[in-house]
Amino acid sequence: KKIVLLTFAIEFLGAGLIFFSLESGTVQVFINKVFFSVFHSISGFCNAGFSTLENSLYEPEFQFNYPLQLIIVVLFILGGIGFPILFNIYKYLTYYFRNQYAKMLHPANSAHTPWVISLNTRIVLVTTSALLIIGTIFFYFFEYNNTLQEHSWFGKIVVSFFGAATPRTAGFNSVDMSALNFSTLMIIFILMWIGASPGSTGGGIKTSTFAL
């Protein structure tokens, strides 16, 4: 029940954010705009990579829509982290805010802080963060004068982040994949091999296996 509720909550929120991130004129009819938002939110969180667009997010109307790319990349990162990790983070945040509220009511009483974040969560979060950062840096430098050339400085960072995150778990693309440099493809192959985290909607050998 928790998994179902969490999935629907994230996908509902993601669909709403995608809906309002769409630029006027890109999707004409209101019902089509709603369908586009719901479809890509579900596809993003489930790490399916399916898109109603012929060239995914590389379409001319969407390749410079950086808020849309950031929303979708957050969706498939959340889906790729794994439900045990998401529930553990929720448990930690719940305890943290309750603890802070108790300290505000009774400042003199110091509350004990238990080890809420599990070892599995720490391994997954550290490994995922490292892969995202390193992958973004490599993608940025390898593609700076290639597929990123037409983007602004902010756009280069967003597209690089998107390009580093999508190979591990999803299947979207915001650049011309056939135009990527060979060095970038090697990084993508490694990221695809590693994949997502245990108990998630993504594949691969899993981040915890790679970390160990």
Side-chain angles (χ1 to χ4, degrees), residues 107-121:
N109 298 333
S110 59
H112 171 66
T113 304
W115 188 286
V116 181
I117 298 294
S118 66
L119 180 61
N120 181 42
T121 300

Side-chain angles (χ1 to χ4, degrees), residues 3 6-8 10-11 39-48 72 74-80 83 86 172 200-202:
I3 291 176
L6 180 64
T7 300
F8 278 116
I10 293 177
E11 290 175 351
F39 185 93
H40 285 81
S41 178
I42 296 174
S43 180
F45 182 74
C46 293
N47 284 256
I72 292 180
V74 169
L75 283 172
F76 58 68
I77 287 175
L78 289 176
F83 291 104
L86 293 177
F172 294 96
S200 69
T201 59

Side-chain angles (χ1 to χ4, degrees), residues 33-151:
K33 195 174 180 180
V34 173
F35 177 79
F36 179 92
S37 304
V38 174
F39 185 93
H40 285 81
S41 178
I42 296 174
S43 180
F45 182 74
C46 293
N47 284 256
F50 295 123
S51 176
T52 57
L53 304 173
E54 184 178 355
N55 297 307
S56 193
L57 299 181
Y58 184 59
E59 291 287 334
E61 299 86 356
F62 299 92
Q63 62 175 322
F64 298 106
N65 190 338
Y66 305 127
L68 173 63
Q69 295 184 31
L70 287 174
I71 294 167
I72 292 180
V73 78
V74 169
L75 283 172
F76 58 68
I77 287 175
L78 289 176
I81 285 178
F83 291 104
I85 312 301
L86 293 177
F87 289 133
N88 193 216
I89 294 174
Y90 172 77
K91 180 180 178 182
Y92 169 77
L93 292 176
T94 302
Y95 179 85
Y96 176 80
F97 286 114
R98 284 180 180 176
N99 197 14
Q100 294 300 316
Y101 180 71
K103 287 182 178 179
M104 290 174 59
L105 294 179
H106 307 286
N109 298 333
S110 59
H112 171 66
T113 304
W115 188 286
V116 181
I117 298 294
S118 66
L119 180 61
N120 181 42
T121 300
R122 292 172 185 268
I123 292 175
V124 168
L125 291 180
V126 170
T127 308
T128 300
S129 300
L131 290 173
L132 287 173
I133 294 172
I134 295 172
T136 301
I137 293 173
F138 276 118
F139 196 100
Y140 182 87
F141 283 104
F142 288 156
E143 295 298 319
Y144 187 87
N145 292 318
N146 189 28
T147 57
L148 299 177
Q149 193 170 14
E150 55 187 350
H151 294 276

